[in-house]
Amino acid sequence: MKASGSTGWKAPVKFRMPTAENLVPIRLDIQFEGQRYKDAFTWNPSDPDNEVVVFAKRTVKDLKLPPAFVTQIAQSIQSQLADFRSYEGQDMYTGEKIIPIKLDLRVNHTLIKDQFLWDLNNFESDPEEFARTLCKDLGVEDPEVGPAVAFAIREQLYEIAIQSVASARESRLSKKGRRGSDHGSASSKASGLSMDLVKLFSFKSSVVRKRKDLDVYEPVVDLLTNEEVDALEAREERHAR
């Protein structure tokens, strides 16, 4: 993704996903009555709430899950939507314009790792289109990889958007307490957000080296054997317990 130049510390905007479509990343991992259901998808927070129960019932029917899963699925989705909506209407700072996005995914037999820069102030960005282009360029044939890549991008953008709300809140409190130090306050918040990004993307060690590598990082795509997939799934199952 091409990065444009930074224009400094911008005025706050109202909370939303920093993408063209304001979609909430929803992740489900439900174990009930000896069965497990995992899924990840996006949801439009403007959709009627009764659509959640309709989706849960359809999912349980299609996957032949126990009826009790309807409540479990619906409650998990509703809880995550409530978390998202709790930020709506609040100011957020997009702060540092260019942020790092990191991918480390396994989808079926495909393992994909990549790292690139994303323009947080581009509210016309499209993670799904980016993921389709990335998979095409890398020769990835599994149709499930693209949606997983887009979801991973949206999850990270969501986390940064939440951090941006906290930054805007700190800014308001700082201005109330110190009217005459706006420049120092903005600089401090920008630095704080930068450090938060370091923590979020696990740049705790060798920060300079890893940030430098962003410009030359090459994506990695591996096709795993059945034995390798079985071993990974067994390890994931042990961790889940």
Side-chain angles (χ1 to χ4, degrees):
M1 174 162 292
K2 185 177 180 180
S4 56
S6 176
T7 57
W9 192 257
K10 288 183 172 289
V13 297
K14 295 302 180 183
F15 175 83
R16 57 159 290 152
M17 286 291 292
T19 55
E21 292 188 278
N22 188 39
L23 302 176
V24 185
I26 301 291
R27 186 178 289 277
L28 301 179
D29 189 352
I30 299 170
Q31 296 188 71
F32 197 69
E33 296 183 355
Q35 295 193 52
R36 186 179 186 185
Y37 167 63
K38 294 180 65 177
D39 202 359
F41 48 86
T42 57
W43 195 277
N44 189 331
S46 299
D47 285 349
D49 288 341
N50 63 352
E51 290 294 325
V52 173
V53 176
V54 173
F55 172 83
K57 289 180 177 179
R58 185 172 62 246
T59 299
V60 167
K61 180 181 179 180
D62 291 346
L63 299 180
K64 295 181 172 55
L65 295 169
F69 266 77
V70 172
T71 301
Q72 299 290 320
I73 292 172
Q75 287 180 346
S76 182
I77 295 173
Q78 289 165 344
S79 175
Q80 293 177 66
L81 287 175
D83 287 343
F84 181 89
R85 289 167 177 162
S86 70
Y87 295 103
E88 292 183 326
Q90 298 188 51
D91 289 341
M92 74 175 189
Y93 275 120
T94 47
E96 289 190 350
K97 192 180 181 89
I98 306 301
I99 54 97
I101 295 292
K102 188 175 184 179
L103 300 177
D104 189 351
L105 305 172
R106 180 184 68 82
V107 183
N108 300 324
H109 285 70
T110 303
L111 186 67
I112 181 168
K113 296 183 179 183
D114 199 5
Q115 192 165 292
F116 43 85
L117 300 178
W118 195 275
D119 185 350
L120 194 62
N121 282 319
N122 180 8
F123 284 80
E124 297 302 317
S125 64
D126 186 340
E128 285 73 26
E129 178 62 28
F130 177 89
R132 285 191 291 269
T133 301
L134 179 68
C135 290
K136 181 179 179 181
D137 291 345
L138 297 178
V140 175
E141 297 180 354
D142 188 335
E144 295 184 27
V145 175
V149 168
F151 184 88
I153 294 172
R154 285 190 176 276
E155 266 194 326
Q156 294 176 58
L157 293 177
Y158 181 30
E159 290 297 325
I160 295 170
I162 291 174
Q163 288 188 17
S164 300
V165 170
S167 295
R169 188 181 302 121
E170 290 171 8
S171 174
R172 289 196 302 272
L173 294 175
S174 177
K175 286 180 180 179
K176 288 180 180 179
R178 294 184 299 170
R179 296 283 183 183
S181 57
D182 289 346
H183 176 73
S185 174
S187 298
S188 174
K189 290 189 293 294
S191 175
L193 180 57
S194 177
M195 290 307 296
D196 285 343
L197 291 175
V198 168
K199 295 176 183 178
L200 177 63
F201 291 97
S202 302
F203 291 151
K204 294 181 180 179
S205 62
S206 190
V207 175
V208 174
R209 179 184 64 80
K210 289 195 175 184
R211 285 190 181 277
K212 180 181 178 182
D213 286 350
L214 290 175
D215 293 331
V216 296
Y217 199 95
E218 291 292 335
V220 174
V221 177
D222 284 330
L223 289 179
L224 305 178
T225 64
N226 290 333
E227 291 75 14
E228 290 172 326
V229 170
D230 291 343
L232 285 173
E233 290 181 344
R235 187 187 315 161
E236 291 169 359
E237 190 65 29
R238 287 196 298 272
H239 289 165
R241 298 198 195 102

PDB file of all heavy atoms in Angstrom, residues 59-80:
ATOM      1  N   THR A  59     -27.105 -20.394  11.250  1.00  0.00           N
ATOM      2  CA  THR A  59     -25.802 -21.036  11.414  1.00  0.00           C
ATOM      3  C   THR A  59     -25.936 -22.386  12.103  1.00  0.00           C
ATOM      4  O   THR A  59     -25.343 -23.385  11.676  1.00  0.00           O
ATOM      5  CB  THR A  59     -24.863 -20.127  12.235  1.00  0.00           C
ATOM      6  OG1 THR A  59     -24.681 -18.887  11.532  1.00  0.00           O
ATOM      7  CG2 THR A  59     -23.517 -20.790  12.446  1.00  0.00           C
ATOM      8  N   VAL A  60     -26.718 -22.422  13.164  1.00  0.00           N
ATOM      9  CA  VAL A  60     -26.911 -23.674  13.904  1.00  0.00           C
ATOM     10  C   VAL A  60     -27.578 -24.722  13.020  1.00  0.00           C
ATOM     11  O   VAL A  60     -27.209 -25.907  13.032  1.00  0.00           O
ATOM     12  CB  VAL A  60     -27.749 -23.411  15.176  1.00  0.00           C
ATOM     13  CG1 VAL A  60     -28.229 -24.725  15.796  1.00  0.00           C
ATOM     14  CG2 VAL A  60     -26.927 -22.616  16.179  1.00  0.00           C
ATOM     15  N   LYS A  61     -28.544 -24.298  12.235  1.00  0.00           N
ATOM     16  CA  LYS A  61     -29.228 -25.230  11.339  1.00  0.00           C
ATOM     17  C   LYS A  61     -28.293 -25.747  10.255  1.00  0.00           C
ATOM     18  O   LYS A  61     -28.236 -26.963   9.997  1.00  0.00           O
ATOM     19  CB  LYS A  61     -30.436 -24.536  10.694  1.00  0.00           C
ATOM     20  CG  LYS A  61     -31.213 -25.436   9.742  1.00  0.00           C
ATOM     21  CD  LYS A  61     -32.393 -24.692   9.122  1.00  0.00           C
ATOM     22  CE  LYS A  61     -33.152 -25.581   8.143  1.00  0.00           C
ATOM     23  NZ  LYS A  61     -34.307 -24.861   7.531  1.00  0.00           N
ATOM     24  N   ASP A  62     -27.525 -24.842   9.624  1.00  0.00           N
ATOM     25  CA  ASP A  62     -26.647 -25.239   8.526  1.00  0.00           C
ATOM     26  C   ASP A  62     -25.530 -26.161   8.995  1.00  0.00           C
ATOM     27  O   ASP A  62     -25.136 -27.086   8.267  1.00  0.00           O
ATOM     28  CB  ASP A  62     -26.042 -23.995   7.862  1.00  0.00           C
ATOM     29  CG  ASP A  62     -27.079 -23.173   7.109  1.00  0.00           C
ATOM     30  OD1 ASP A  62     -28.191 -23.692   6.877  1.00  0.00           O
ATOM     31  OD2 ASP A  62     -26.777 -22.017   6.756  1.00  0.00           O
ATOM     32  N   LEU A  63     -25.005 -25.912  10.191  1.00  0.00           N
ATOM     33  CA  LEU A  63     -23.871 -26.694  10.700  1.00  0.00           C
ATOM     34  C   LEU A  63     -24.316 -27.860  11.582  1.00  0.00           C
ATOM     35  O   LEU A  63     -23.467 -28.582  12.111  1.00  0.00           O
ATOM     36  CB  LEU A  63     -22.919 -25.783  11.479  1.00  0.00           C
ATOM     37  CG  LEU A  63     -22.290 -24.637  10.685  1.00  0.00           C
ATOM     38  CD1 LEU A  63     -21.353 -23.810  11.572  1.00  0.00           C
ATOM     39  CD2 LEU A  63     -21.526 -25.167   9.473  1.00  0.00           C
ATOM     40  N   LYS A  64     -25.626 -27.982  11.772  1.00  0.00           N
ATOM     41  CA  LYS A  64     -26.190 -29.078  12.583  1.00  0.00           C
ATOM     42  C   LYS A  64     -25.609 -29.074  14.006  1.00  0.00           C
ATOM     43  O   LYS A  64     -25.237 -30.121  14.557  1.00  0.00           O
ATOM     44  CB  LYS A  64     -25.946 -30.428  11.906  1.00  0.00           C
ATOM     45  CG  LYS A  64     -26.667 -30.574  10.571  1.00  0.00           C
ATOM     46  CD  LYS A  64     -26.417 -31.935   9.948  1.00  0.00           C
ATOM     47  CE  LYS A  64     -27.282 -32.160   8.703  1.00  0.00           C
ATOM     48  NZ  LYS A  64     -27.155 -31.118   7.675  1.00  0.00           N
ATOM     49  N   LEU A  65     -25.550 -27.878  14.579  1.00  0.00           N
ATOM     50  CA  LEU A  65     -25.088 -27.724  15.950  1.00  0.00           C
ATOM     51  C   LEU A  65     -26.256 -27.918  16.913  1.00  0.00           C
ATOM     52  O   LEU A  65     -27.421 -27.783  16.526  1.00  0.00           O
ATOM     53  CB  LEU A  65     -24.495 -26.327  16.155  1.00  0.00           C
ATOM     54  CG  LEU A  65     -23.215 -25.996  15.375  1.00  0.00           C
ATOM     55  CD1 LEU A  65     -22.900 -24.506  15.467  1.00  0.00           C
ATOM     56  CD2 LEU A  65     -22.045 -26.825  15.876  1.00  0.00           C
ATOM     57  N   PRO A  66     -25.982 -28.221  18.189  1.00  0.00           N
ATOM     58  CA  PRO A  66     -27.065 -28.326  19.175  1.00  0.00           C
ATOM     59  C   PRO A  66     -27.842 -27.014  19.266  1.00  0.00           C
ATOM     60  O   PRO A  66     -27.260 -25.930  19.158  1.00  0.00           O
ATOM     61  CB  PRO A  66     -26.315 -28.618  20.484  1.00  0.00           C
ATOM     62  CG  PRO A  66     -25.031 -29.242  20.052  1.00  0.00           C
ATOM     63  CD  PRO A  66     -24.672 -28.572  18.768  1.00  0.00           C
ATOM     64  N   PRO A  67     -29.161 -27.072  19.482  1.00  0.00           N
ATOM     65  CA  PRO A  67     -29.985 -25.859  19.529  1.00  0.00           C
ATOM     66  C   PRO A  67     -29.494 -24.819  20.540  1.00  0.00           C
ATOM     67  O   PRO A  67     -29.692 -23.612  20.338  1.00  0.00           O
ATOM     68  CB  PRO A  67     -31.366 -26.405  19.920  1.00  0.00           C
ATOM     69  CG  PRO A  67     -31.371 -27.817  19.434  1.00  0.00           C
ATOM     70  CD  PRO A  67     -29.959 -28.307  19.609  1.00  0.00           C
ATOM     71  N   ALA A  68     -28.853 -25.264  21.606  1.00  0.00           N
ATOM     72  CA  ALA A  68     -28.374 -24.338  22.636  1.00  0.00           C
ATOM     73  C   ALA A  68     -27.328 -23.373  22.087  1.00  0.00           C
ATOM     74  O   ALA A  68     -27.082 -22.320  22.690  1.00  0.00           O
ATOM     75  CB  ALA A  68     -27.792 -25.116  23.816  1.00  0.00           C
ATOM     76  N   PHE A  69     -26.718 -23.707  20.954  1.00  0.00           N
ATOM     77  CA  PHE A  69     -25.713 -22.826  20.362  1.00  0.00           C
ATOM     78  C   PHE A  69     -26.326 -21.512  19.857  1.00  0.00           C
ATOM     79  O   PHE A  69     -25.618 -20.522  19.702  1.00  0.00           O
ATOM     80  CB  PHE A  69     -24.986 -23.529  19.209  1.00  0.00           C
ATOM     81  CG  PHE A  69     -23.710 -24.214  19.616  1.00  0.00           C
ATOM     82  CD1 PHE A  69     -23.746 -25.429  20.273  1.00  0.00           C
ATOM     83  CD2 PHE A  69     -22.474 -23.647  19.348  1.00  0.00           C
ATOM     84  CE1 PHE A  69     -22.591 -26.073  20.655  1.00  0.00           C
ATOM     85  CE2 PHE A  69     -21.306 -24.274  19.721  1.00  0.00           C
ATOM     86  CZ  PHE A  69     -21.360 -25.491  20.389  1.00  0.00           C
ATOM     87  N   VAL A  70     -27.624 -21.512  19.584  1.00  0.00           N
ATOM     88  CA  VAL A  70     -28.264 -20.286  19.090  1.00  0.00           C
ATOM     89  C   VAL A  70     -28.057 -19.152  20.082  1.00  0.00           C
ATOM     90  O   VAL A  70     -27.627 -18.046  19.715  1.00  0.00           O
ATOM     91  CB  VAL A  70     -29.769 -20.521  18.843  1.00  0.00           C
ATOM     92  CG1 VAL A  70     -30.460 -19.190  18.533  1.00  0.00           C
ATOM     93  CG2 VAL A  70     -29.981 -21.502  17.698  1.00  0.00           C
ATOM     94  N   THR A  71     -28.354 -19.416  21.341  1.00  0.00           N
ATOM     95  CA  THR A  71     -28.188 -18.388  22.373  1.00  0.00           C
ATOM     96  C   THR A  71     -26.742 -17.995  22.540  1.00  0.00           C
ATOM     97  O   THR A  71     -26.408 -16.798  22.665  1.00  0.00           O
ATOM     98  CB  THR A  71     -28.753 -18.887  23.720  1.00  0.00           C
ATOM     99  OG1 THR A  71     -30.141 -19.195  23.557  1.00  0.00           O
ATOM    100  CG2 THR A  71     -28.587 -17.832  24.799  1.00  0.00           C
ATOM    101  N   GLN A  72     -25.846 -18.976  22.538  1.00  0.00           N
ATOM    102  CA  GLN A  72     -24.426 -18.699  22.725  1.00  0.00           C
ATOM    103  C   GLN A  72     -23.877 -17.812  21.608  1.00  0.00           C
ATOM    104  O   GLN A  72     -23.155 -16.841  21.860  1.00  0.00           O
ATOM    105  CB  GLN A  72     -23.637 -20.014  22.773  1.00  0.00           C
ATOM    106  CG  GLN A  72     -24.014 -20.948  23.902  1.00  0.00           C
ATOM    107  CD  GLN A  72     -23.578 -20.424  25.251  1.00  0.00           C
ATOM    108  OE1 GLN A  72     -22.495 -19.868  25.390  1.00  0.00           O
ATOM    109  NE2 GLN A  72     -24.420 -20.596  26.251  1.00  0.00           N
ATOM    110  N   ILE A  73     -24.221 -18.131  20.370  1.00  0.00           N
ATOM    111  CA  ILE A  73     -23.751 -17.350  19.218  1.00  0.00           C
ATOM    112  C   ILE A  73     -24.330 -15.948  19.246  1.00  0.00           C
ATOM    113  O   ILE A  73     -23.616 -14.954  19.075  1.00  0.00           O
ATOM    114  CB  ILE A  73     -24.113 -18.063  17.903  1.00  0.00           C
ATOM    115  CG1 ILE A  73     -23.310 -19.369  17.768  1.00  0.00           C
ATOM    116  CG2 ILE A  73     -23.853 -17.156  16.701  1.00  0.00           C
ATOM    117  CD1 ILE A  73     -23.749 -20.233  16.593  1.00  0.00           C
ATOM    118  N   ALA A  74     -25.635 -15.848  19.475  1.00  0.00           N
ATOM    119  CA  ALA A  74     -26.292 -14.544  19.486  1.00  0.00           C
ATOM    120  C   ALA A  74     -25.731 -13.647  20.582  1.00  0.00           C
ATOM    121  O   ALA A  74     -25.457 -12.458  20.352  1.00  0.00           O
ATOM    122  CB  ALA A  74     -27.799 -14.718  19.662  1.00  0.00           C
ATOM    123  N   GLN A  75     -25.527 -14.190  21.775  1.00  0.00           N
ATOM    124  CA  GLN A  75     -25.017 -13.385  22.885  1.00  0.00           C
ATOM    125  C   GLN A  75     -23.599 -12.894  22.614  1.00  0.00           C
ATOM    126  O   GLN A  75     -23.260 -11.747  22.946  1.00  0.00           O
ATOM    127  CB  GLN A  75     -25.056 -14.196  24.187  1.00  0.00           C
ATOM    128  CG  GLN A  75     -26.453 -14.382  24.745  1.00  0.00           C
ATOM    129  CD  GLN A  75     -26.464 -15.176  26.039  1.00  0.00           C
ATOM    130  OE1 GLN A  75     -25.476 -15.823  26.416  1.00  0.00           O
ATOM    131  NE2 GLN A  75     -27.593 -15.149  26.739  1.00  0.00           N
ATOM    132  N   SER A  76     -22.770 -13.731  22.013  1.00  0.00           N
ATOM    133  CA  SER A  76     -21.396 -13.325  21.723  1.00  0.00           C
ATOM    134  C   SER A  76     -21.369 -12.193  20.700  1.00  0.00           C
ATOM    135  O   SER A  76     -20.630 -11.214  20.856  1.00  0.00           O
ATOM    136  CB  SER A  76     -20.589 -14.518  21.212  1.00  0.00           C
ATOM    137  OG  SER A  76     -19.245 -14.138  20.970  1.00  0.00           O
ATOM    138  N   ILE A  77     -22.171 -12.323  19.633  1.00  0.00           N
ATOM    139  CA  ILE A  77     -22.223 -11.265  18.618  1.00  0.00           C
ATOM    140  C   ILE A  77     -22.758  -9.970  19.222  1.00  0.00           C
ATOM    141  O   ILE A  77     -22.197  -8.886  19.012  1.00  0.00           O
ATOM    142  CB  ILE A  77     -23.099 -11.695  17.428  1.00  0.00           C
ATOM    143  CG1 ILE A  77     -22.473 -12.891  16.708  1.00  0.00           C
ATOM    144  CG2 ILE A  77     -23.281 -10.532  16.443  1.00  0.00           C
ATOM    145  CD1 ILE A  77     -23.351 -13.482  15.618  1.00  0.00           C
ATOM    146  N   GLN A  78     -23.840 -10.065  19.981  1.00  0.00           N
ATOM    147  CA  GLN A  78     -24.447  -8.880  20.578  1.00  0.00           C
ATOM    148  C   GLN A  78     -23.484  -8.182  21.532  1.00  0.00           C
ATOM    149  O   GLN A  78     -23.446  -6.948  21.590  1.00  0.00           O
ATOM    150  CB  GLN A  78     -25.741  -9.267  21.289  1.00  0.00           C
ATOM    151  CG  GLN A  78     -26.866  -9.634  20.331  1.00  0.00           C
ATOM    152  CD  GLN A  78     -28.024 -10.350  21.005  1.00  0.00           C
ATOM    153  OE1 GLN A  78     -27.888 -10.844  22.122  1.00  0.00           O
ATOM    154  NE2 GLN A  78     -29.164 -10.420  20.325  1.00  0.00           N
ATOM    155  N   SER A  79     -22.711  -8.959  22.277  1.00  0.00           N
ATOM    156  CA  SER A  79     -21.741  -8.379  23.201  1.00  0.00           C
ATOM    157  C   SER A  79     -20.660  -7.598  22.455  1.00  0.00           C
ATOM    158  O   SER A  79     -20.283  -6.489  22.858  1.00  0.00           O
ATOM    159  CB  SER A  79     -21.110  -9.486  24.047  1.00  0.00           C
ATOM    160  OG  SER A  79     -20.088  -8.970  24.874  1.00  0.00           O
ATOM    161  N   GLN A  80     -20.166  -8.173  21.356  1.00  0.00           N
ATOM    162  CA  GLN A  80     -19.120  -7.493  20.587  1.00  0.00           C
ATOM    163  C   GLN A  80     -19.662  -6.251  19.879  1.00  0.00           C
ATOM    164  O   GLN A  80     -18.967  -5.235  19.763  1.00  0.00           O
ATOM    165  CB  GLN A  80     -18.510  -8.472  19.587  1.00  0.00           C
ATOM    166  CG  GLN A  80     -17.724  -9.598  20.270  1.00  0.00           C
ATOM    167  CD  GLN A  80     -17.173 -10.620  19.298  1.00  0.00           C
ATOM    168  OE1 GLN A  80     -16.290 -10.308  18.484  1.00  0.00           O
ATOM    169  NE2 GLN A  80     -17.669 -11.844  19.371  1.00  0.00           N
TER     170      GLN A  80
END
